[in-house]
Amino acid sequence: MPLLTPDQRDQLLANGRQPGGDHVPVVKFFNPVGIGTWLATELDADNDTCFGLADLGFPELGSFSLEELATLELPFSMNIERDVFFTGTFPISAYAEAAHETGSITAAIRILSNAARAKRGEGA
């Protein structure tokens, strides 16, 4: 499975043409056999450099390479995967703040998803 769909690539590139914005994450990548979670909000015109929130044990905002993610050699012949169920709901600053408070992107997503459901009047 490719790391990005054409629509995701288009949205990331559009966000990349507006740098410095507090964009909503377009895509989530994860390591299925270990640590590593990435939320991408922007893609540079080089079609490789993403900006977003990365968590390799400590969540931080910054840039990362799609090519590096795609070519990482993981145990059991696994690859970095795209979370097909992830939908960004809040700006990246909210994910970053929640990730710093909880210590991980995964916990931040859970908390923010629960908040979004509660706001819509759905059960947690």
Side-chain angles (χ1 to χ4, degrees), residues 96-117:
E97 183 178 337
H100 286 129
E101 288 179 12
T102 62
S104 78
I105 291 174
T106 304
I109 290 170
R110 186 172 48 253
I111 288 168
L112 292 174
S113 294
N114 288 341
R117 280 194 296 276

Side-chain angles (χ1 to χ4, degrees), residues 19-78:
D22 194 11
H23 302 290
V24 172
V26 174
V27 62
K28 173 188 168 193
F29 306 111
F30 66 97
N31 178 344
V33 294
I35 65 167
T37 306
W38 299 261
L39 298 179
T41 60
E42 301 172 26
L43 179 61
D44 286 352
D46 67 6
N47 276 301
D48 180 51
T49 307
C50 285
F51 178 82
L53 185 62
D55 185 357
L56 297 171
F58 182 80
E60 60 183 309
L61 288 168
S63 297
F64 54 90
S65 165
L66 277 178
E67 184 177 342
E68 269 187 44
L69 292 182
T71 59
L72 280 173
E73 295 183 20
L74 303 176
F76 313 111
S77 300
M78 301 289 288

